[in-house]
Amino acid sequence: MTQLPLRAQLASALGRSAATLSRMTGRGDGSVIGGRVGLMLEPDLLRKLARDRKLALVSATNGKTTTTRLITSALLEMGEVATNVFGANMPAGHVSALSQHKDAPYGVLEVDEKYLPEVLDTTGAGVVCLMNLSRDQMDRAAEIWLLAQKWRRALSGKPTHVIANCDDPLVTWGASTAAKVTWVAGGQRWKEDSWCCPECGGPLDRKDADWACRECTFHRPEPQWVLDDDAVIDPRGQRWLLDIQLPGLANRSNAVMALAVAEAFDLPVERALPRLREVTSVAGRYTTVEREGRQARLLLAKNPAGWLEAFDVADPRLPIILSVNAQGPDGRDTSWLWDVDYRILRGRPVFVTGERRLDLALRLDVADVPFAVCETFAEALAMQPPGRVDVIANYTAFQQIRSEFGRAV
Ligand SMILES: [Zn+2]
């Protein structure tokens, strides 16, 4: 790699010191504060750190942390990879990730959907991976449509190679101004935000996986990669078993996206796939915490689409604990819980906890799902018979359980 200019070197080094200081004083992992310090001293730092590297940006409403991790694991097959492992997915986090791996020839950056245009402009990333767009808590359809429109503008006229999920009409529309697109049929479980054509507002007709606008020419592009239950069919028609360790259909979809991105970096499936199998848990998701003979597997659900993915992973034979908070990162308003169909939980022992347990309790009551309300997660866990239990929690509820019950087994 070419040397960074002196000012950028200094900004990058000071940013790293600030990050270390932040970690030492117990103020978190320091990746954001370090990046902020660096950017303050050298506003052009991200551009300079990104230069001469092969970068992939990963964006979506759900699954971006996991997919970033899967792509990183794959590219490690070829050399060092810089990545924002803590999900710090705005420019300060990207600066921090790239300065911590100054000599890494590759970078895989998780990017907040709203920041994608800015980060793409700044870094000039060669590859962009786009998976799904749906409402996050209180967003409404118009907001995510505007987001997709910003992606279109940002991608237009750039040489970027986009890997996009063509089963999501809004992602397809957002990606379709790019000069080069590899389409992946990665599936779409949550369809409530894509009944209308993003191009003309007409109704979208769906038949099996296919979709097309009834009123204009917008339609599902022909995919090069296809997720087919527990396997993937590559662009040459070869079928590969997706025997990864992360559970559920959503993660198999993330894995197909990762394989398509790896191929965009000239890494073939036979070398990338074994690397995907090495990923067992991402930022505590799918890990199990244990207390007094109860093993609780932690699933994160931050928005309606996330709940459906968690239901897919949860074992229908097991009891389930649901925990909902409404602090800053969760969104203060829990009315989005009403968008989720909870009837799938009928017949299982259901326990409800978290700060907003009563909001969730009312929602379950209306859906005719019997449940027990518990003051704390510890109480809910103590009510279980010894053995396994699934837990679905939203963001801060998830973090609380992780920090209180600590060590994963
Ligand atoms: Zn249309």
Side-chain angles (χ1 to χ4, degrees):
M1 262 181 80
T2 49
Q3 271 291 24
L4 285 177
L6 191 59
R7 186 188 167 87
Q9 276 185 46
L10 191 65
S12 177
L14 283 171
R16 282 198 302 278
S17 316
T20 308
L21 202 61
S22 168
R23 268 194 302 276
M24 282 164 53
T25 53
R27 291 166 196 267
D29 71 71
S31 55
V32 173
I33 184 78
R36 274 197 201 132
V37 168
L39 279 172
M40 215 149 60
L41 295 163
E42 169 56 284
D44 212 24
L45 188 55
L46 183 55
R47 185 187 310 276
K48 288 180 171 147
L49 286 167
R51 193 177 292 160
D52 301 327
R53 301 204 217 217
K54 291 182 174 166
L55 288 186
L57 308 182
V58 181
S59 203
T61 306
N62 287 324
K64 50 188 180 289
T65 304
T66 303
T67 307
T68 298
R69 178 70 183 280
L70 289 168
I71 297 168
T72 301
S73 187
L75 297 190
L76 279 169
E77 175 75 7
M78 300 194 294
E80 196 187 343
V81 183
T83 186
N84 42 349
V85 281
F86 295 99
N89 60 17
M90 293 181 233
H94 303 142
V95 162
S96 171
L98 297 179
S99 10
Q100 277 162 17
H101 297 269
K102 282 203 317 275
D103 301 318
Y106 302 99
V108 184
L109 300 177
E110 170 187 338
V111 185
D112 180 280
E113 307 87 276
K114 296 179 195 71
Y115 281 84
L116 184 68
E118 179 189 329
V119 175
L120 179 60
D121 276 345
T122 310
T123 61
V127 174
V128 170
C129 175
L130 303 172
M131 289 118 63
N132 56 73
L133 265 181
S134 67
R135 70 189 88 148
D136 203 7
Q137 298 151 13
M138 290 303 293
D139 290 344
R140 285 297 168 250
E143 291 167 63
I144 52 172
W145 182 82
L146 284 170
L147 208 55
Q149 196 181 45
K150 285 181 185 154
W151 287 5
R152 287 171 67 81
R153 283 202 206 105
L155 290 168
S156 167
K158 288 197 180 65
T160 312
H161 180 179
V162 177
I163 315 296
N165 180 10
C166 66
D167 287 339
D168 186 319
L170 199 52
V171 166
T172 302
W173 188 66
S176 57
T177 55
K180 181 177 183 190
V181 188
T182 296
W183 298 110
V184 178
Q188 185 196 34
R189 177 150 302 212
W190 176 263
K191 298 184 172 61
E192 301 309 316
D193 294 320
S194 50
W195 294 113
C196 289
C197 171
E199 180 70 30
C200 77
L204 285 183
D205 290 326
R206 288 175 183 269
K207 188 172 177 295
D208 302 323
D210 207 18
W211 53 262
C213 176
R214 202 180 298 167
E215 289 172 8
C216 76
T217 59
F218 186 61
H219 63 279
R220 179 176 181 259
E222 192 62 38
Q224 281 98 47
W225 296 77
V226 178
L227 169 64
D228 183 20
D229 193 24
D230 61 353
V232 54
I233 301 161
D234 75 14
R236 292 151 298 280
Q238 191 171 346
R239 197 181 165 87
W240 305 80
L241 184 66
L242 282 172
D243 50 353
I244 56 170
Q245 301 210 41
L246 296 175
L249 189 63
N251 281 322
R252 293 201 290 281
S253 175
N254 295 336
V256 177
M257 299 300 297
L259 290 174
V261 170
E263 192 166 281
F265 283 86
D266 295 323
L267 182 67
V269 182
E270 59 265 35
R271 288 178 66 197
L273 191 51
R275 291 277 180 170
L276 303 193
R277 291 190 199 114
E278 292 170 10
V279 181
T280 53
S281 141
V282 178
R285 292 161 212 184
Y286 322 110
T287 50
T288 301
V289 297
E290 181 157 18
R291 181 168 284 187
E292 291 163 3
R294 281 92 174 163
Q295 294 100 32
R297 183 171 57 159
L298 306 184
L299 308 173
L300 176 72
K302 297 186 286 191
N303 47 41
W307 277 94
L308 294 198
E309 290 174 5
F311 291 157
D312 175 60
V313 173
D315 186 335
R317 296 162 301 179
L318 295 181
I320 191 160
I321 301 174
L322 312 176
S323 184
V324 171
N325 281 359
Q327 294 178 19
D330 307 313
R332 302 279 300 159
D333 187 326
T334 57
S335 62
W336 60 273
L337 292 173
W338 291 83
D339 295 337
V340 180
D341 188 348
Y342 288 92
R343 287 175 296 179
I344 192 171
L345 299 179
R346 284 180 190 165
R348 306 181 209 187
V350 177
F351 300 82
V352 176
T353 184
E355 295 163 356
R356 294 300 189 96
R357 54 192 175 276
L358 296 182
D359 296 4
L360 187 55
L362 177 61
R363 176 70 191 91
L364 293 175
D365 190 52
V366 168
D368 277 330
V369 177
F371 57 88
V373 176
C374 305
E375 286 289 307
T376 61
F377 177 75
E379 183 189 318
L381 196 56
M383 287 174 76
Q384 308 306 318
R388 295 189 301 138
V389 55
D390 280 323
V391 179
I392 305 179
N394 70 347
Y395 193 73
T396 67
F398 183 90
Q399 301 299 358
Q400 275 174 9
I401 295 168
R402 267 190 88 197
S403 61
E404 191 184 338
F405 288 77
R407 274 188 336 137
V409 291

